[in-house]
Amino acid sequence: MSKQPQPISPLKNFFAGGFGGVCLVFAGHPLDTIKVRLQTQPKPKPGERLLYAGTLDCCKKTLAKEGVKGLYKGMAAPIIGVTPMFAVCFFGFGLGKKLQQKSPDDILTYPQLFAAGMLSGVFTTAIMAPGERIKCLLQIQASTGQVKYAGPMDCVKQLYRESGIRGIYKGTALTLMRDVPASGMYFTSYEWIKNLLTPPGKSHNELSVPSVLFAGGMAGIFNWAVAIPPDVLKSRFQTAPEGKYPNGFRDVLRELVREEGVTSLYKGFNAVMLRAFPANAACFLGFELAMKFLNWAAPDL
């Protein structure tokens, strides 16, 4: 349960969430590049070794070949996409909380927080699905060596030309399957850990920076523990050639489990978890600091 001295303002959540998103991209993008390269690397021919042996090897090879810039490849798209996305995500969470309150000082239960988190997942998918598809396509073309798209806008134009709006929104159902339960988990675990770390009688607005970083980082880990299997399916589905999986994610799931076993659903696990902690710690710290600033600058918003 949480004490809420300040009435919930979805609008403040929107701006503070956007700032949190920028912090998240800066902290997490290098490992995101590694995650996508590991998840989509080609199957080795008989007798050949995998292109990347694992997270560290992928990082070393990327640095050797492309320098630090290689790890920050394709970051413009997430900065442009993630800022509004986290703004909308935190707005959705704020709105979900506000809709469930009978009065402004109502304290929400964990199931109510989970429901508010799931609502934020629906909100973000609308923005997220096209951005994710474009990001995955741009990230893999660097490692496959075939340059088909000049950049994000060119990618949108070509997809639209090839298969209309559906081409841009390919994988939306999978993005929903990933983000709705994962967002519920994300916000609930954040509030839960904040409550655990708050000494009795204190408000969790007074939590120290390390405590906020720890709660945010752990929320990221809980979020991804739920999100990785649908995320692997989504990366596969969104980067597959047109018509390869006629029945959508069921085909991807069948092929993956048949060829590589159930553990393949947790591909890129180390890269994701290594990134999830610092990126989400940075995100929630950015969010809390921006919230403090907004409450101070515009108390009535």
Side-chain angles (χ1 to χ4, degrees):
M1 308 296 145
S2 53
K3 293 192 187 70
Q4 273 150 349
Q6 196 86 21
I8 295 165
S9 158
L11 199 61
K12 276 185 192 157
N13 270 23
F14 181 83
F15 291 115
F19 182 68
V22 174
C23 299
L24 173 120
V25 176
F26 269 98
H29 194 77
L31 276 152
D32 188 59
T33 302
I34 290 169
K35 176 198 83 159
V36 173
R37 287 185 176 184
L38 286 174
Q39 282 180 342
T40 57
Q41 61 180 336
K43 231 167 118 184
K45 295 181 179 71
E48 281 186 15
R49 310 239 324 249
L50 270 168
L51 185 57
Y52 306 116
T55 304
L56 258 175
D57 183 47
C58 183
C59 182
K60 273 201 276 248
K61 284 183 178 156
T62 303
L63 280 173
K65 211 167 113 186
E66 306 167 54
V68 175
K69 270 201 352 230
L71 291 174
Y72 276 99
K73 256 221 173 97
M75 192 171 82
I79 286 270
I80 298 161
V82 162
T83 311
M85 189 196 82
F86 269 82
V88 167
C89 175
F90 278 87
F91 172 81
F93 181 59
L95 186 67
K97 288 197 294 189
K98 208 174 174 67
L99 290 174
Q100 297 182 82
Q101 282 185 319
K102 291 186 179 64
S103 69
D105 43 9
D106 251 10
I107 291 167
L108 297 177
T109 62
Y110 290 125
Q112 285 175 314
L113 288 171
F114 194 83
M118 292 204 315
L119 180 69
S120 84
V122 175
F123 270 79
T124 44
T125 297
I127 304 185
M128 184 91 171
E132 284 274 308
R133 172 136 159 88
I134 292 153
K135 176 180 73 78
C136 282
L137 289 171
L138 291 175
Q139 279 172 325
I140 67 158
Q141 76 174 8
S143 53
T144 53
Q146 297 161 312
V147 177
K148 187 181 172 189
Y149 308 110
M153 285 321 290
D154 181 47
C155 186
V156 172
K157 276 193 214 112
Q158 287 195 40
L159 285 174
Y160 189 71
R161 243 200 333 269
E162 284 164 23
S163 40
I165 200 87
R166 279 189 56 186
I168 298 171
Y169 270 92
K170 183 179 173 184
T172 301
L174 277 166
T175 310
L176 274 173
M177 275 172 57
R178 183 191 71 177
D179 288 350
V180 170
S183 296
M185 198 63 187
Y186 186 52
F187 286 109
T188 311
S189 55
Y190 177 65
E191 299 281 342
W192 174 63
I193 294 162
K194 270 205 322 190
N195 289 336
L196 287 182
L197 296 173
T198 308
K202 283 265 165 80
S203 140
H204 58 206
N205 292 345
E206 300 160 38
L207 274 181
S208 65
V209 168
S211 297
V212 172
L213 285 171
F214 179 72
M218 288 309 290
I221 284 181
F222 277 110
N223 168 66
W224 277 104
V226 174
I228 288 180
D231 186 55
V232 173
L233 295 177
K234 187 186 70 61
S235 289
R236 273 289 173 103
F237 182 64
Q238 285 185 323
T239 56
E242 213 39 63
K244 185 178 177 189
Y245 300 116
N247 299 325
F249 73 89
R250 289 190 300 280
D251 288 353
V252 192
L253 181 62
R254 248 185 281 177
E255 179 192 87
L256 256 182
V257 173
R258 191 177 62 237
E259 284 187 8
E260 305 175 41
V262 176
T263 52
S264 64
L265 288 174
Y266 274 94
K267 254 200 191 143
F269 184 80
N270 292 347
V272 169
M273 289 309 179
L274 274 170
R275 166 182 173 252
F277 196 92
N280 290 288
C283 172
F284 273 109
L285 183 66
F287 171 76
E288 295 286 357
L289 292 174
M291 260 328 230
K292 281 208 166 103
F293 172 74
L294 288 170
N295 285 335
W296 168 80
D300 309 323
L301 192 65

